[in-house]
Amino acid sequence: MNTEFLTITQDPSHDEDVLSRAAEVIRRGGLVAIPTETVYGLAGSALLPDSAAKIYAAKGRPADNPLIVHVSKPEEAERVAYTNPQFYKLAERFMPGPLTVILKKRDCIPDTVTAGGDTVAVRCPSHPIARRLIELSGHPLAAPSANRSGSPSPTTAAHVREDLDGEIDMIVDAGPCSIGLESTVIRLDGESCTILRPGAVTPAMLEEVVPHAAVSGAVVKPALANGVKPESPGMKYRHYAPRAELILVDAPTDRLAEFVRENEGERVGVMIPDEYAGLFPGLTILPTGPAGDWKEYSRRFFSLLREADDAGLNRIYAVLPPPEGDSLALYNRIIRAAGCRILTENGFKTI
Ligand code: AMP
Ligand code: MG
């Protein structure tokens, strides 16, 4: 298949033309990779069973991992799911934006989209290109991240091209994503909620609206998801991984420098805040931004993993971020990218 590559230029008539063409592809059952504020999504109609089947095939995604359905405004959730007052309370504060809510599905959503389940994940993205495409196509869009299953999620159109060129109809390039990690996925529990996948909407932010936002055990302890059927199947063990071996270090930065020095002769990179780059002379630095700026680190994370592979590194070292607050989502992704092994003063342990 020839994949068309189109660029958003900020010229309104050109861009509207690009999106009209993309909408036509969606309506006839094809696939278009589009930017959202989180990561690039691989979009197909959420109403056409064949579109979902094509998404699974293009990504090589396991059939038991359901897709998120994107709508252009919160009220459109009615079309695909049974909503409730709690949904609208959250929508008022967080939509459009990086929050996905699990709801009971309506019959118009094919089983292929929900992997056979009776719930559907609904999100209203804030990215203007994504929203306009949903409007123009007239279809809600099923859109997982636009990467090959298992590899780092794409935060630029070039990343999508690396993974899916020749597999999908079209890629729309509108520059890099502003958040860089996928949406927060929640389940509603009466007045409260449970976070199944952490994202830019943090537990503390949710608790401005609901009495309690619990964090599912599998978010920080993936081993829990091994063996038992995980509630959010996408949260299984190894995921988001580069080809290089990612070694997460739970120790101070100077200790990290010692671990790294033991790798003489290897092609090693260090994912480290800008301030500490000087501790690793002669090594490939994958800079994460100012120390403690978790939003910037999150924005760069997937891109840095791909840069490491492009540079031909065979090992990457990184410091383990705290499993809380603004770094909870990053922690969740980085432990999976590292296959859940952590290097401590006493050797490797698995979490
Ligand atoms: P991605 O499409 O790559 O952003 O991943 C979507 C995430 O949402 C995965 O972790 C899925 O397992 C999760 N998800 C999608 N639909 C549901 C659902 N109905 N119930 C629970 N989790 C879901
Ligand atoms: Mg994904």
Side-chain angles (χ1 to χ4, degrees):
M1 178 187 291
N2 177 44
T3 302
E4 238 188 310
F5 195 92
L6 301 173
T7 303
I8 296 297
T9 60
Q10 306 300 336
D11 166 358
S13 71
H14 169 271
D15 294 349
E16 191 71 1
D17 182 50
V18 165
L19 292 175
S20 302
R21 289 167 63 189
E24 187 48 41
V25 172
I26 297 289
R27 275 195 299 271
R28 65 170 169 75
L31 303 186
V32 182
I34 53 163
T36 79
E37 70 277 22
T38 57
V39 300
Y40 270 71
L42 178 58
S45 170
L47 303 176
L48 306 174
D50 278 0
S51 295
K54 285 183 196 169
I55 290 174
Y56 285 93
K59 283 180 59 79
R61 183 175 175 107
D64 69 350
N65 192 5
L67 308 176
I68 293 176
V69 173
H70 295 69
V71 294
S72 69
K73 43 183 190 293
E75 309 84 81
E76 250 180 51
E78 298 298 343
R79 193 175 165 195
V80 299
Y82 295 95
T83 63
N84 53 44
Q86 202 59 6
F87 170 80
Y88 282 107
K89 213 168 140 187
L90 287 157
E92 200 174 311
R93 168 75 165 79
F94 298 112
M95 294 185 194
L99 180 68
T100 298
V101 182
I102 310 293
L103 295 168
K104 190 163 174 349
K105 87 173 188 79
R106 286 191 190 268
D107 287 344
C108 65
I109 297 298
D111 283 348
T112 42
V113 169
T114 63
D118 61 358
T119 58
V120 61
V122 182
R123 169 161 126 79
C124 174
S126 65
H127 199 294
I129 299 303
R131 293 177 78 189
R132 186 67 184 141
L133 178 61
I134 303 167
E135 282 170 8
L136 285 174
S137 69
H139 289 230
L141 299 182
S145 51
N147 54 315
R148 289 283 306 165
S149 197
S151 74
S153 297
T155 57
T156 68
H159 297 161
V160 179
R161 197 178 218 169
E162 276 168 25
D163 279 18
L164 298 177
D165 195 18
E167 308 289 332
I168 61 177
D169 298 276
M170 189 182 278
I171 299 172
V172 176
D173 182 359
C177 300
S178 59
I179 293 175
L181 298 181
E182 303 86 343
S183 61
T184 304
V185 178
I186 62 168
R187 178 189 74 204
L188 302 178
D189 310 311
E191 294 263 286
S192 292
C193 68
T194 299
I195 296 175
L196 304 180
R197 177 177 72 182
V201 175
T202 62
M205 289 163 71
L206 288 163
E207 285 182 349
E208 290 167 19
V209 177
V210 301
H212 183 52
V215 177
S216 164
V219 163
V220 288
K221 287 213 180 299
L224 282 182
N226 252 9
V228 292
K229 188 174 183 295
E231 208 177 336
S232 189
M235 291 286 89
K236 279 183 197 164
Y237 223 45
R238 189 173 156 91
H239 201 24
Y240 316 111
R243 286 190 296 277
E245 181 189 16
L246 174 60
I247 297 184
L248 274 180
V249 178
D250 190 10
T253 309
D254 48 349
R255 195 69 187 95
L256 169 66
E258 286 171 31
F259 283 131
V260 172
R261 257 180 253 123
E262 289 163 15
N263 286 267
E264 211 146 352
E266 298 283 345
R267 280 172 301 174
V268 172
V270 186
M271 206 151 62
I272 195 86
D274 305 349
E275 291 92 319
Y276 302 122
L279 290 174
F280 305 92
L283 291 182
T284 302
I285 300 295
L286 303 162
T288 61
D293 185 345
W294 300 112
K295 286 186 180 160
E296 184 57 31
Y297 192 165
S298 299
R299 189 175 297 132
R300 296 184 191 190
F301 175 62
F302 285 131
S303 193
L304 290 174
L305 296 185
R306 284 177 185 262
E307 275 173 41
D309 283 342
D310 293 345
L313 301 180
N314 45 32
R315 200 163 296 144
I316 312 164
Y317 281 85
V319 176
L320 184 69
E324 61 199 23
D326 278 348
S327 60
L328 178 64
L330 181 67
Y331 177 91
N332 171 270
R333 305 313 189 275
I334 207 168
I335 59 173
R336 283 166 174 80
C340 299
R341 283 165 75 232
I342 295 183
L343 181 57
T344 69
E345 304 275 2
N346 309 314
F348 279 101
K349 68 170 189 194
T350 300
I351 41 170

